Amino acid sequence: MNDDTSFMLIALEEAHRADEEGEIPVGAVITRQGEIISRAHNRNRSLANPLLHAEMIAIESAAETLGNERLNGCTLYVTKEPCVMCAGAIVHARIERLVIAAEDVKYGACGTVFSVCGDSRLNHVPEIVFGPLRDEASALLSSFFGNLRREKRLKGPHSPDI
């Protein structure tokens, strides 16, 4: 098993924790020189804060650990393609490498829908790798959203949007 798969397995563990807590199952891990410096999962629903995506929490924790807002030499492993907000944070933090399990065909900002992380007009362009544990991450997300849609149907047409 290579490092990308090993670290993505840990990100997937974080995604499962999010799922258990009723959060959208996304997990993130940041490494530097082969060592984990932060790990996180989505917490935006439970803490009623739209900024608390797994990537944002992991970036904040890594910056605190390193004592620097620049995460030069770091790799971010994330189970779902980052949104525009998270992609912007990845660029600003100067994360060197981004490894993504599953594409996000609705909101992905690393090449699938938007190309924030790949835009050469910005001050930094990380290396982007898609695919490690794609099937596992996609299955977890599909299960979560399938359950959410079933719950919404059971509650009726006036239940909150998913």
Side-chain angles (χ1 to χ4, degrees), residues 40-103:
H41 59 276
N42 276 2
R43 310 249 353 252
N44 52 301
R45 290 175 168 219
S46 61
L47 297 177
N49 184 335
L51 303 177
L52 296 181
H53 290 191
E55 302 95 323
M56 300 294 280
I57 298 168
I59 289 169
E60 183 176 19
S61 175
E64 186 176 311
T65 297
L66 296 176
N68 193 330
E69 80 278 13
R70 301 293 184 230
L71 301 181
N72 297 319
C74 290
T75 298
L76 169 61
Y77 296 86
V78 64
T79 58
K80 184 180 75 59
E81 184 176 358
C83 68
V84 171
M85 172 182 70
C86 294
I90 290 163
V91 169
H92 284 291
R94 310 291 200 284
I95 290 174
E96 182 176 312
R97 192 164 175 266
L98 175 60
V99 182
I100 303 164
E103 294 86 352

